[in-house]
Amino acid sequence: MPAQLIDGAAIAARTKSEVQTRVRELTNLGHRVHLVALLVGGIDAGALYAQRQGEACRAIGIDYTLHKLPATITQKELKHEIRRLNADASVTGIMMHLPLPSHLDAPRLQYEIDVVKDVEGVNPANIGYVVYGHTLIAPCTALSAVELIKSTGVRIEGAEAVVVGASQIAGKPISLLLTEQMATVTLCHIATKDLKLHTRRAEILVVAVGKPGLIQPEDVLDGAVIIDVGINRIALPDGTKKTVGDVEFDTVRHKASHITPVPGGVGPMTVAMLLRNTLRSAELHFGTTK
Ligand code: NAP
């Protein structure tokens, strides 16, 4: 029997609605939720993404300001801009669109973002809080993967969870959040000797690599929950392009119990998690956390 689809778009819509309700309550108390996004240089993809992000924020009552900065800005100038926003009481959240021009050191700049205003959870202190079990703000993609697993109702505690891909924004924080949920976690990466050995015993399999077709049906345990974080644009024989994940969806879905589609799985949920984190930052800023 084909797996149950994990409908990221529908779950994201519910999450956004919950965030909207709370943003309205805060607004009624005189607290405006205000996200400032930094966009350096004129990257088209970044500008389009920022525009959509602004629309998503405004649709649920979050003020959104896009600061467009010249590609020639120096590390020192950008650091000062972030520090200025940290000190601005009218700003409740800050994020920086990537990539940055090559003369800028993105991680060092992300480290400058105030821990409470860090809506993407990229300040190392925020990862540190996750490790110590006192999560303040976790990275959005990782939250998205874990929320989608929770949505299945499958027990995470004690489950064999395998995460493939060990990036700072996806694989590593996903493995930390699953450890926090008491799964037994294996983190596979480029140096893993026998990837299939691990994926075949995974009751929960999260794949965040960026390689279409990496996971085939023979690599998957019967009845596994599969979260496909990958987003890849592939060319079809007729010359058109299609977005796919890292998992061979059409075949693997016959072995899994639950699976995320690409598109429509982790992607929309990550946007919803950014909005939820933006609310969380504001609650921490105003001291209104429930
Ligand atoms: P990334 O920084 O390139 O990280 C990929 C990770 O996978 C790296 O640790 C890499 O190791 C590892 N890797 C490469 N080949 C591997 C293999 N054969 N087996 C095991 N591990 C392997 O990418 P990312 O930013 O984490 O993104 C991963 C994918 O998720 C991309 O397709 C991206 O577009 C997508 N993504 C989606 C969302 C969303 O919201 N849906 C958000 C973020 C990312 P090395 O670095 O050592 O090669």
Side-chain angles (χ1 to χ4, degrees):
M1 202 171 76
Q4 234 173 289
L5 278 195
I6 304 174
D7 187 345
I11 300 165
R14 278 203 297 278
T15 305
K16 283 185 196 172
S17 167
E18 287 160 16
V19 173
Q20 182 174 26
T21 302
R22 183 64 186 149
V23 167
R24 200 177 293 133
E25 285 170 9
L26 287 180
T27 305
N28 289 341
L29 291 170
H31 297 317
R32 294 295 307 181
V33 181
H34 181 199
L35 174 62
V36 173
L38 299 170
L39 181 67
V40 181
I43 37 169
D44 290 347
L48 182 65
Y49 181 70
Q51 184 194 329
R52 292 204 180 129
Q53 193 176 57
E55 287 163 7
C57 283
R58 290 185 197 105
I60 61 165
I62 294 174
D63 294 338
Y64 180 86
T65 306
L66 181 65
H67 277 216
K68 289 187 184 167
L69 300 159
T72 51
I73 193 167
T74 65
Q75 181 86 7
K76 199 171 170 188
E77 286 165 341
L78 191 45
K79 190 168 87 177
H80 282 126
E81 176 61 9
I82 293 169
R83 288 186 176 174
R84 190 186 66 73
L85 294 170
N86 285 343
D88 184 339
S90 74
V91 175
T92 61
I94 303 167
M95 62 156 295
M96 193 164 58
H97 288 285
L98 298 182
L100 294 178
S102 58
H103 68 280
L104 297 172
D105 182 343
R108 294 248 165 246
L109 289 162
Q110 288 173 322
Y111 299 174
E112 290 292 332
I113 298 173
D114 183 277
V115 177
V116 161
K117 296 189 181 185
D118 174 27
V119 297
E120 292 184 296
V122 289
N123 185 313
N126 272 321
I127 296 293
Y129 283 124
V130 174
V131 172
Y132 283 95
H134 298 111
T135 303
L136 205 60
I137 300 164
C140 307
T141 309
L143 283 173
S144 167
V146 173
E147 287 296 318
L148 293 178
I149 297 167
K150 284 184 181 169
S151 78
T152 65
V154 166
R155 193 175 163 84
I156 301 179
E157 187 177 332
E160 288 291 334
V162 173
V163 181
V164 186
S167 71
Q168 320 289 2
I169 66 152
K172 278 185 194 164
I174 290 169
S175 69
L176 288 174
L177 291 184
L178 287 172
T179 303
E180 180 64 17
Q181 297 291 315
M182 300 302 284
T184 301
V185 182
T186 303
L187 179 59
C188 298
H189 43 69
I190 195 71
T192 299
K193 284 186 188 141
D194 187 348
L195 181 63
K196 294 173 195 295
L197 177 82
H198 298 286
T199 59
R200 280 180 188 151
R201 60 171 185 73
E203 293 165 295
I204 296 171
L205 177 62
V206 184
V207 191
V209 170
K211 289 194 177 159
L214 180 67
I215 301 296
Q216 298 287 326
E218 61 273 21
D219 307 331
V220 169
L221 183 74
D222 274 321
V225 172
I226 299 185
I227 306 295
D228 191 352
V229 181
I231 301 175
N232 309 288
R233 290 288 286 166
I234 58 163
L236 297 175
D238 66 1
T240 58
K241 288 200 163 183
K242 185 182 176 195
T243 301
V244 298
D246 293 344
V247 176
E248 192 79 20
F249 180 82
D250 290 338
T251 47
V252 171
R253 69 180 301 197
H254 293 285
K255 279 192 90 177
S257 65
H258 301 79
I259 188 167
T260 54
V262 179
V266 176
M269 195 58 184
T270 301
V271 177
M273 290 298 103
L274 179 76
L275 298 173
R276 201 177 76 179
N277 276 357
T278 301
L279 169 62
R280 170 104 178 121
S281 281
E283 299 259 31
L284 291 165
H285 178 75
F286 295 125
T288 53
T289 41
K290 284 181 174 171

